[in-house]
Amino acid sequence: MDSIIVSGISKSYGKVKALQDVSFVVEKGEVFGLIGPDGAGKTSMFRILCTLLLPEAGTATVEGFDVVKQMTDIRKRVGYMPGRFSLYQDLTVEENLKFFATLFGTTVDEGYDSIKAIYSQIERFKDRNAGALSGGMKQKLALSCALVHQPSVLFLDEPTTGVDPVSRKEFWDMLSMLKEREITIVAATPYLDEVRRCERVAFLSEGKMMGIGKPEVILERFKDIFVPTPFPSRGERSLNTLHTDDASMSNQSPLPSGGEGGGFAIEVSHLVKAYGDFHAVDDISFTVKKGEIFGFLGANGAGKTTAMHMLAGLNQPTSGTGKVCGFDIRTEHEQIKKHIGYMSQKFSLYEDMTVAENIRLFAGIYGMSNQEIARKTDEVLERLKFTSHKNDLVGSLPLGWKQKLAFSVSIFHEPGVVFLDEPTGGVDPATRRQFWELIYEAASHGITVFVTTHYMDEAEYCDRISIMVDGKISAMGTPEELKQQYGQKDMDGVFTYLARQAKRSEK
């Protein structure tokens, strides 16, 4: 039996053709993947199938009901998790669940059995605001809200973006449990391990259907997009000036004395950040060499973003010491801000300004002269192949373009260190690889790259990695050293092994 039938659907936004004559069928109880790069049309398709957007041409039915003529019938039968969740951050866990139950004319008690296996994992935090939850907990709450009215079809638009690998695996295990109840699941995801957990996938690109079939068939057919050529090893790259020594490898490494730290871009000793009795960062020490690509990994809630904020001068430590570019993180945070670059997952670009205007604004903030800004702007635009788009509004750019522009802006003033907080979340593999080419280029010019990521293939690209668990650094070394130490074939195995050693509960 077919649960979803899409026939010749088209949708445009002005001159942009988001969907062009798209057709596919999803069987009842199937786990079906909708994959493709940013801007491919996936979200538009989800919104049409959920009756939140009208198509311009073609037809579509969900559970036998027409998406245009029978909206009410469809809305009773579908659950929808948009990419950034649909939670109300200032409502509690329980209030969010009650709100969504009310929207669908039901109650939590009436739908409890359908969400018990998932909701019971977070129910003890029912009085906590959703905004204070970790990524994994938000994920479980959002899924519970989408299921509370007992839908027969579940639409998931990149539900695991920004969530650590262990939480992602747990989420897909929950989806497998839902499949046993014959719930039809349509999911979009940029993660290849999740693509492989689908029974079939449809690949969209620039609004067109490029192929439908089993994951392994589609991934092989379009491997240039989904499985780009791996990076060369560290030894094969031109960056061969770094030498890992015992001091830089140790979690409790002594700090060198004098000047800018004798070749260290970052020096941290016994750093602590406490909120009452809870130590988000719990006595960490490490050093990072100049020009090094340093991966700072950890599950959601492990403390890595808190640590990064202290190093970037955005938050003050409770105790301990640290230097970034030779400046004290406790007393010279304003100097630190002038000598670093920072890029978060949400970027910092102004969407209603042009590409050139964004570059000029941020360069001016860093005190660069107009002549220098003009010269370097042309260089950056040429390197990014953005010259013909310099007057385009940033809001009109694809996600991958915004990502590369945001990184280029963050290092425009040639900082000593650039902090990248999950900069590639939700981006397709080919675009992520292009982004890492920019990282390699920056490192080759002596910029130290301090990066957090939930993509374990990206962890393999780093010179060294630390992995935080429960606010502490549990492991540190090169990717090869860590894989050998923990007897794992890849960094995903290392991360999963260590993350599952976590003992502290959510606070």
Side-chain angles (χ1 to χ4, degrees), residues 250-253 268-274 278-286 296 302-303 307 310 317-321 468-474 476 504:
S250 171
N251 182 30
Q252 300 296 327
S253 56
V268 173
S269 180
H270 303 292
L271 200 62
V272 174
K273 182 62 179 181
F278 177 63
H279 286 199
V281 175
D282 193 5
D283 192 15
I284 64 173
S285 301
F286 62 92
F296 200 58
M310 286 190 283
T318 303
S319 62
T321 61
M468 287 191 73
V469 178
D470 291 348
K472 299 179 180 291
I473 294 179
S474 291
M476 186 178 294
R504 74 182 184 191

Side-chain angles (χ1 to χ4, degrees), residues 109-120:
D109 289 342
E110 189 174 344
Y112 189 81
D113 286 345
S114 65
I115 63 171
K116 181 179 179 180
I118 300 166
Y119 184 62
S120 61

Side-chain angles (χ1 to χ4, degrees), residues 395-407:
S396 70
L397 301 179
L399 177 62
W401 288 31
K402 292 179 186 177
Q403 176 199 62
K404 288 184 280 190
L405 177 61
F407 177 69

Side-chain angles (χ1 to χ4, degrees), residues 31 67 98 102 114 135 156 161 238 269 281 293 323 332 345 362 378 393 439 442 446 475:
V31 179
V67 296
K98 286 182 177 179
T102 303
S114 65
L156 310 171
T161 294
S238 59
S269 180
V281 175
I293 301 174
K323 287 187 177 182
E332 299 176 292
Q345 185 178 2
F362 286 98
D378 290 339
L393 291 178
I439 289 178

Side-chain angles (χ1 to χ4, degrees), residues 333-369:
H333 36 86
E334 290 304 319
Q335 283 296 319
I336 288 174
K337 291 176 185 177
K338 295 178 182 178
H339 289 81
I340 66 169
Y342 187 89
M343 177 182 168
S344 69
Q345 185 178 2
K346 296 178 181 178
F347 311 148
S348 55
L349 302 173
Y350 288 89
E351 304 248 319
D352 57 350
M353 294 173 63
T354 67
V355 169
E357 287 170 344
N358 267 276
I359 294 174
R360 191 180 306 117
L361 172 66
F362 286 98
I365 290 173
Y366 286 111
M368 298 176 67
S369 68

Side-chain angles (χ1 to χ4, degrees), residues 296-310:
F296 200 58
L297 310 185
N300 293 105
K304 60 186 186 300
T305 297
T306 301
M308 181 181 285
H309 284 175
M310 286 190 283

